[in-house]
Amino acid sequence: MTEIKMVRARRVRALPNWQLEIVFDDGMMGVTDLAEFVNLGPMTEPLKDPAYFARVFVEMGVPTWPNGCDIDPINAHMRMREAGTLRAASEAA
């Protein structure tokens, strides 16, 4: 059984090709690929524009865009952990 760790995003940064770097409140960070996410429908349609995708910000611990579209930080953390791509945020300094 996979442990579900309650985490929130502390910082986010848009990267090229619909990649999103997330720093979590547990001191870990990673990059998630949202290329498929931006094709899910009307809510994610504006994110196809790289300039709009870059407008991501953290609202109440959740990566969010101006139109209200957001991603679940817990799911992103779990996916990064399972893929082995999480690392200590201090390593990136």
Side-chain angles (χ1 to χ4, degrees), residues 11-15 19-22 53 56:
R11 290 191 320 256
V12 294
R13 181 171 64 113
L15 302 173
Q19 303 282 311
L20 192 65
E21 179 183 77
I22 306 173
F53 186 81
V56 65

Side-chain angles (χ1 to χ4, degrees), residues 32-90:
T32 189
D33 183 353
L34 298 178
E36 290 182 21
F37 178 77
V38 301
N39 291 306
L40 291 180
M43 190 70 169
T44 62
E45 182 75 25
L47 279 62
K48 290 181 180 180
D49 174 5
Y52 193 87
F53 186 81
R55 293 176 61 190
V56 65
F57 60 96
V58 175
E59 181 174 55
M60 297 176 58
V62 178
T64 306
W65 284 268
N67 68 341
C69 186
D70 62 27
I71 65 165
D72 177 13
I74 298 167
N75 186 37
H77 190 279
M78 285 175 32
R79 287 182 32 215
M80 289 176 201
R81 183 177 65 198
E82 290 168 2
T85 59
L86 274 178
R87 65 186 192 280
S90 60

